[in-house]
Structure formats: C-alpha cells, structure tokens
Amino acid sequence: AATVLAVPLSTPAIAQQNPKINWRLTSSFPKSLDTIYGGADDIAKHVAAATDGNFTIQPFAGGEIVPGLQAADAVSAGTVEMCHTCSYYFVGKDPTFAIGTAIPFGMNARLTNSWFYQGNGNTLMNEFYAKHQIYGMPAGNTGAQMGGWFRKEINTVDDFKGVKMRIAGIAGKVLEKLGAVPQQIAGGDIYPALEKGTIDAAEWVGPYDDHKLGFYKVAKYYYYPAFWEGGPTIHAFINLDKWNSLPKHYQSALTDACAFANTNMMAKYDLKNPMAIKQIVSQGTTLRPFSQDILEACYTAAMDVYKGISATNADFKKVYDDQVAFKKEGYLWMQLSEYTFDTFMMIQQRNGKI
Amino acid sequence: AATVLAVPLSTPAIAQQNPKINWRLTSSFPKSLDTIYGGADDIAKHVAAATDGNFTIQPFAGGEIVPGLQAADAVSAGTVEMCHTCSYYFVGKDPTFAIGTAIPFGMNARLTNSWFYQGNGNTLMNEFYAKHQIYGMPAGNTGAQMGGWFRKEINTVDDFKGVKMRIAGIAGKVLEKLGAVPQQIAGGDIYPALEKGTIDAAEWVGPYDDHKLGFYKVAKYYYYPAFWEGGPTIHAFINLDKWNSLPKHYQSALTDACAFANTNMMAKYDLKNPMAIKQIVSQGTTLRPFSQDILEACYTAAMDVYKGISATNADFKKVYDDQVAFKKEGYLWMQLSEYTFDTFMMIQQRNGKI
C-alpha cells in the first residue's frame, strides 16, 4: 500500500530529474573544418548521450546565427546559450581574452591543460569572463600551430619588413614591432588575398586545415612554428545566467563533455596532421623553421608588448603573471624525461628506424 | 485529459531513467599517491555528479578488496565491477596487456591519447581485453616517467651488468639483454630493498611520487628518461557484462568521466612534478640523462624482444604493428612545430628569461 501511495507523490520529483532543455551553440568555425568544428559536435553528442537525450545542444556553423567572430557577443547577450570559439578572437574588447587561447611564447598544449585544470587557469579566466556574462571551459586544442605560408623566404629579422601578413591580435602586435604589417582577414578570404598578392603571408592552423584551404597552391614556403600558438585552447563559452540555471548534473555532464572534446580534438589533429604534412610537401611546398635570431627578436618584442599591456590592464597582468610563473616551472620539468624521450624517438624516426 | 492519463503509464519509464546503481572499484594504488590514486576519485565523483547521484562508484585502495596487482582478475571474475590500474601489470597473462599502458620506446602521452581516441588503440585493445571479460578506457596518464634511482653511476652499457633493478614486464626483459637483473617488487617494498642493498636500482614513477616514497635518501643518482614509459596510460577496466548491462547514458557518463580523469591526472603531474624535482635536487640528488649509447643499445634490445613476442603471439603482433605505424607518423609530425616551439621555450627557461 505504501508503494502504491508513493507513486503519485514521487512522480513530479522523478519527472524533474532529467528536465528537457534545448540549447543552441554557435561555432566560430565552418563545418568543412571537421577537426575544429568537430569539437562542437563532440560536446553536443556527449551531453545528449549522458543525459539520455534530455539536454540537447544544437550546434550551428559560424555565420548561421551570427558571424564566427561575434560568437562571444551572442553568448554575453544571451542570443544563444553557448558558443565554441577562440577566446582570443575578442582581444578587441580586452587583451585578457587572448590568454584564454594562447599568447606568443605561451605554453604547449599539455602545460596549457595543466594550467587550466590544475593551476589557476580556469579560476582566473572565469573571474575575467564573468565580467562579460560568460562561463568558459577548455573544449579543444590544436597543438603547436604552423607559422604560416609565405610567398618569399624569411631568412633574417629584416625580411619581415613590409610583409603584409594575415595574423591577428597580440601576435600581430609582435610582428609589427619587426616591421611586418598585420592584417585581420576572415578564414574564407585568406586564399584569394594570398593568390592576388594583396597579402604576402598568412597563418591559419596547421597542415590538415591549411591543406583543405589550399594555401600550398599560392605560397611556396611553409614556416614553423607559430610561436604565437604553442598549444591554443578552443573554448566553450556559456552565458553565465544560463550556466547557473542548469541543474547541477547537467553542468557536470557538460563539463565532462568539454573535457572529452578537449582531448579528442587534439587526438584528431595528431592523427590527421602527419598525413597532411606529407601531402603538402609532396605537392612542392618548402618547409622552413624560423631562425633562432627571428625567434629571439620576436621573443623580445613580445615581452615589450606584455609589459605595455600589463602597465594599463590589471586583469591582464594578474592572469599573465600567474601563467608566466606556471610556465617557468613547467618548462623546467618538461626538459628532463619528456624532452629526452621525444628527442630520442624523433632521431629514430628520422633515421628510418621506427 | 490525455496528459492526466499519461501519468500512470509513463511513471515506470521515468522511474527507470536514472536507476540506482552502486559499483565498487578496486584501485591498484595506495591512497597516499593522490595523483595516480586520484584518478579513481575523479571517475567516481564525476559519474555521481553527472547522474544526479544515482550511479555511484565506490573506490577502494589497492589491498582493501584485492591486492593491487590482482585488480584485473577481480574485474574479469566479476568480484568487483571495475578497477583503476595499469594494463601492463598483467603481462604475465599475455604480453599484449603491456601495450595498453606503455612499452619501451613507445609514445609520449599526447600520441598515446591520439592512438587510443582517434587511431585504432581503443578498438584493438578492447578486442583483446574482451577475451578477458574486460572493457577498458584510458583514465589517467603520468607523462614520460623518470628512469629511476641508482646507487651507482651508469655511464656505459656495460655498467648495467649485474645491476639488480626493480623494473617489471617488458622493460625488465630489455634490460636483461644488457645484463641487468630485473626484479619484481611491489611499491611499498622498494624503499627497504634499496636501503639494504638487496637491489641496486629501482624505477617508480616521477619526482612527485618518488619523493613521497623517499628514494632520494637511499640512492644518489636519478636517471632519465624511463624509455619504457614515454606516456603510460592508467586504465579503467570494467567487467564486460557489467558494462553491457549499464544504461546507455550511464555508459556515456562513465566514458566522459574517464576522459576527464585522463586529462586531469596528466595536469596534476605537470603541476606537481616541477616542485618535486626541485626539492629532490635540493636534497642532494644528482640528475643524469642516460647516454645516447645506452638508449641505442636498449632500443636494439627492445626491437629484439618485440620480434620474439610477435613471432609467437598474434594478438600482440596485431596491436604492436598498428601502434608502430601510428608512432612513425606521429613522431614525423611532432618534430616540426611542437618540438621547435618547446625547444625554444626550454632555452628561454634555462637562460632565466621566462
């Protein structure tokens, strides 16, 4: 009898356990880039699966709801509940956004994750994001990107003088100090600009994505590394009120789905980039490392830029100083076992012994 | 009226949405190692949080239910639903288990993840694990480990002759080819064995865990890298029938919790190892890299071992060959942007410029 009586009483509570919630996510990326756009799909699928289909997130490609570079604005305003984007696209509002993705001479993907998950990264960035009505979580990483496509060789620091290069944000400011002319151009417009010679150089991501966009057809030299993107994070940005109003277990499901997307995107790049770099080279591209002199000149220029921003922006200074302290320790540690192991394995690879 | 009628009909379905399920997890590690044991806590907390407390997993330290090195047996037999362990602890049953964690001259943590999540790693290993009634998922990584503690210097290949070293599995077989005498000793027994001189050397994990166990007090030289553990995975092993009987959304919640644990453990090591290595060095330990000659001799010995096992074990050969093909591509790609960026940052770190 007690069991029978309990049914009508417990029904509302049980029914609310997994309430139906439908969100929209605007991505900053086109669907054709399955790697970086794929992160949004991962989030949506994993959240739906973990909540038995009750919490659904519908991803839209960049431009379908709002343009890719306005994704964070749409989240702040509550036009959409969330987006999948690069925090550094929004440096125009505040340079502190840049640290959420990557800054020149920042950290590799692994240290970036460590800073976010176990260091102060997520806490500090979310203190800052909250001022923009945003809650952010890492939800993808590309690994160290390539330095980009150049129509002429860049052998010395002076060779950067007058080079019109598609490169955004803080990295643009660094190259500007060397005499380059940074240009902000949306992904889809880079190829024609490079083809026509409106620009002399462009950076995008890495072999797999770059090959899709066909840059190897219009620029001969492919430089590495992108010292401005050692391990850039792709973020899930969620409207802060929407985040706070989610049931706790949906917050958890979304948190874990983002952790999965974060690891899975890096895994996908590491599977796909090797094949792509071989294709690119077989199609006639010349691979070149930036010289040590160039990297050092850019390092000095970057330190100047950080000093300048830190002098006038307390939020930036707070997060930047924390990340620098973390990075110093991280790169001490990684040069022991990690670096020695990788170096040895790379030598075996080069010698055809794997 | 339709709505009212629907209530009693739908009640059983809704009540089953989040059924109460309680599992036990046996860890292979002691609670004192918060890094590696912590992965089990992460899994349990995240699964409970994502299922609103309805799917609970209670973790037990190694030895509480079964000894740490019998964790997989307890899962196969269904004594516990799952465990958190190293697949390579079970090489005695079949050397194929070793590939699930790490094998000498395998891959770093990032390529390991890529092989599992996007390559054929999870598929191939689970084909194999199924023969032992196990479903496995990566749920932690330590990064490249240290090569271990030696009471005397190891300058040449010959110096390994007669060295009694605590080192298990396939790595032991490799060092045996150089004349070392591998010993299998449980974690808690290493310190007294090294102190008494019953053994001359021992490998464990890395600075943070090794410092806790106090090895720096009884061996002067700390070598790197552990070429046998470039990025070892810690696994969640689940009894296959128990896995198959889980509601799909609980399978998803558990999958994502393991992905979180995987990234979070690596993040924790990268936060804690730098502080620990500085403490260890300040207490008088001498850090030494294994020489290139030693690494090359071990590499040759390892290839011999793999050839031998592959000749008689089809499961091993299938998984090993797949991983080698993946590794060859991965280390081609990683030596471009990734390696150049890290090298430059490490130089800055060494020069005190970070």
Side-chain angles (χ1 to χ4, degrees):
Chain A
T3 309
V4 173
L5 266 177
V7 171
L9 288 171
S10 66
T11 301
I14 292 172
Q16 279 191 334
Q17 258 191 353
N18 291 343
K20 289 272 180 196
I21 294 180
N22 304 302
W23 277 13
R24 296 192 305 167
L25 175 157
T26 184
S27 168
S28 288
F29 315 104
K31 280 188 185 163
S32 57
L33 299 178
D34 58 302
T35 38
I36 198 162
Y37 176 83
D41 270 343
D42 274 349
I43 296 168
K45 279 180 194 159
H46 282 245
V47 163
T51 62
D52 208 10
N54 289 296
F55 178 17
T56 64
I57 296 169
Q58 191 182 356
F60 292 86
E64 287 184 353
I65 302 178
V66 292
L69 301 182
Q70 291 169 27
D73 307 75
V75 170
S76 293
T79 310
V80 292
E81 288 84 1
M82 67 182 291
C83 72
H84 191 235
T85 191
C86 293
S87 180
Y88 67 10
Y89 288 160
F90 311 101
V91 284
K93 297 180 197 299
D94 189 316
T96 313
F97 273 102
I99 310 177
T101 310
I103 55 172
F105 304 104
M107 298 186 290
N108 62 22
R110 213 172 94 178
L111 291 176
T112 298
N113 279 338
S114 183
W115 181 66
F116 274 118
Y117 289 87
Q118 286 284 324
N120 302 318
N122 274 329
T123 306
L124 293 177
M125 285 310 301
N126 275 316
E127 273 177 29
F128 167 74
Y129 291 144
K131 297 181 180 181
H132 297 266
Q133 275 299 307
I134 287 171
Y135 178 76
M137 287 189 283
N141 201 300
T142 68
Q145 298 195 359
M146 291 292 283
W149 299 86
F150 289 75
R151 289 162 62 96
K152 61 161 199 154
E153 288 182 77
I154 301 290
N155 295 314
T156 68
V157 175
D158 278 351
D159 289 340
F160 270 109
K161 288 215 168 96
V163 167
K164 278 183 267 177
M165 179 168 181
R166 187 269 176 191
I167 184 167
I170 292 181
K173 284 196 211 305
V174 169
L175 285 185
E176 210 166 20
K177 286 192 180 257
L178 270 65
V181 186
Q183 313 272 317
Q184 307 242 20
I185 300 176
D189 301 328
I190 301 173
Y191 184 92
L194 201 53
E195 188 182 27
K196 283 179 207 147
T198 316
I199 55 173
D200 309 301
E203 65 89 34
W204 181 238
V205 180
Y208 180 72
D209 295 340
D210 289 12
H211 186 254
K212 282 200 170 179
L213 297 188
F215 300 135
Y216 64 93
K217 295 176 199 159
V218 290
K220 186 173 172 191
Y221 301 99
Y222 197 19
Y223 277 86
Y224 62 90
F227 54 78
W228 51 92
E229 290 172 303
T233 296
I234 318 300
H235 261 87
F237 277 171
I238 301 152
N239 177 280
L240 192 55
D241 291 338
K242 295 286 178 184
W243 170 255
N244 288 330
S245 70
L246 271 188
K248 292 286 172 213
H249 61 303
Y250 284 11
Q251 287 184 348
S252 296
L254 182 48
T255 299
D256 288 358
C258 288
F260 178 87
N262 190 25
T263 300
N264 200 43
M265 189 191 293
M266 187 70 266
K268 206 181 278 184
Y269 274 112
D270 282 335
L271 176 76
K272 299 195 165 186
N273 275 329
M275 307 180 206
I277 194 77
K278 289 203 288 193
Q279 278 183 301
I280 285 170
V281 169
S282 75
Q283 282 158 336
T285 294
T286 301
L287 281 179
R288 288 280 165 83
F290 285 128
S291 74
Q292 198 68 13
D293 277 358
I294 288 172
L295 291 176
E296 276 171 18
C298 291
Y299 191 83
T300 305
M303 297 307 122
D304 273 0
V305 170
Y306 298 140
K307 213 169 166 182
I309 303 172
S310 292
T312 59
N313 185 321
D315 284 337
F316 183 92
K317 187 180 181 337
K318 184 179 178 183
V319 187
Y320 176 76
D321 287 352
D322 181 80
Q323 196 186 67
V324 168
F326 183 91
K327 176 168 67 177
K328 198 172 171 176
E329 300 292 292
Y331 273 117
L332 164 71
W333 162 234
M334 287 197 89
Q335 69 194 260
L336 297 176
S337 281
E338 211 54 62
Y339 191 76
T340 315
F341 180 81
D342 279 345
T343 301
F344 184 80
M345 292 308 295
M346 287 170 190
I347 292 170
Q348 305 314 305
Q349 194 281 332
R350 286 200 175 201
N351 293 342
K353 290 176 80 178
I354 290 182
Chain B
T3 310
V4 172
L5 267 176
V7 171
L9 288 171
S10 66
T11 302
I14 292 173
Q16 280 191 333
Q17 258 192 350
N18 292 342
K20 289 274 181 195
I21 293 181
N22 304 303
W23 277 12
R24 296 191 306 166
L25 175 158
T26 184
S27 168
S28 288
F29 314 104
K31 281 189 183 160
S32 57
L33 298 177
D34 58 304
T35 38
I36 198 161
Y37 177 84
D41 270 342
D42 274 349
I43 295 168
K45 280 181 190 156
H46 282 244
V47 163
T51 61
D52 209 9
N54 288 296
F55 179 15
T56 62
I57 296 168
Q58 191 181 354
F60 292 86
E64 287 184 355
I65 300 177
V66 292
L69 300 182
Q70 291 170 27
D73 306 74
V75 169
S76 293
T79 312
V80 291
E81 289 83 2
M82 67 182 290
C83 71
H84 191 236
T85 191
C86 292
S87 181
Y88 67 10
Y89 288 161
F90 311 101
V91 284
K93 296 181 198 300
D94 190 317
T96 314
F97 273 103
I99 311 177
T101 310
I103 55 173
F105 303 104
M107 298 186 289
N108 62 22
R110 214 172 93 178
L111 291 177
T112 297
N113 279 337
S114 183
W115 181 67
F116 273 118
Y117 288 87
Q118 286 284 323
N120 302 318
N122 274 329
T123 306
L124 293 178
M125 285 311 301
N126 275 316
E127 273 176 29
F128 168 74
Y129 291 144
K131 298 181 183 182
H132 297 267
Q133 277 298 308
I134 287 171
Y135 178 76
M137 289 188 281
N141 201 300
T142 67
Q145 297 195 359
M146 292 292 283
W149 299 86
F150 290 75
R151 289 162 62 99
K152 62 161 198 157
E153 287 182 80
I154 302 289
N155 294 316
T156 69
V157 176
D158 279 349
D159 290 340
F160 270 109
K161 288 217 168 95
V163 167
K164 277 182 267 178
M165 180 170 181
R166 186 269 175 194
I167 184 167
I170 293 183
K173 282 195 210 310
V174 170
L175 285 184
E176 210 167 19
K177 285 191 180 260
L178 271 64
V181 186
Q183 314 272 318
Q184 307 240 26
I185 300 175
D189 300 328
I190 302 173
Y191 184 91
L194 203 52
E195 190 183 27
K196 282 180 208 146
T198 315
I199 56 174
D200 308 302
E203 65 89 33
W204 180 238
V205 181
Y208 181 72
D209 295 340
D210 289 10
H211 186 254
K212 280 199 171 179
L213 297 189
F215 300 134
Y216 64 92
K217 294 177 200 159
V218 288
K220 185 172 174 191
Y221 301 98
Y222 197 19
Y223 277 86
Y224 63 89
F227 54 79
W228 52 93
E229 290 173 302
T233 295
I234 318 301
H235 262 85
F237 278 170
I238 300 153
N239 177 280
L240 192 54
D241 291 337
K242 295 286 178 184
W243 171 255
N244 288 330
S245 69
L246 269 189
K248 292 285 172 213
H249 61 303
Y250 284 10
Q251 286 184 349
S252 297
L254 182 50
T255 299
D256 289 0
C258 287
F260 179 86
N262 190 25
T263 301
N264 200 43
M265 189 191 293
M266 187 70 265
K268 206 181 278 185
Y269 273 113
D270 282 336
L271 176 76
K272 299 197 165 184
N273 275 329
M275 306 179 207
I277 194 76
K278 290 203 287 192
Q279 277 183 301
I280 285 170
V281 169
S282 75
Q283 281 158 337
T285 294
T286 300
L287 281 179
R288 287 280 165 82
F290 285 127
S291 74
Q292 198 68 11
D293 277 356
I294 288 172
L295 291 176
E296 276 170 18
C298 291
Y299 191 82
T300 305
M303 296 307 121
D304 273 359
V305 170
Y306 298 140
K307 214 170 166 182
I309 302 172
S310 293
T312 59
N313 185 321
D315 284 338
F316 183 92
K317 186 179 183 335
K318 184 178 179 185
V319 188
Y320 176 77
D321 287 352
D322 182 82
Q323 194 185 67
V324 168
F326 183 92
K327 176 168 68 176
K328 198 171 170 176
E329 301 292 291
Y331 274 117
L332 164 72
W333 162 235
M334 287 197 91
Q335 69 194 261
L336 297 177
S337 281
E338 212 52 64
Y339 190 76
T340 317
F341 180 81
D342 279 345
T343 302
F344 184 81
M345 292 308 296
M346 288 171 189
I347 293 169
Q348 305 314 304
Q349 194 281 332
R350 285 201 177 201
N351 292 343
K353 289 176 83 178
I354 290 183

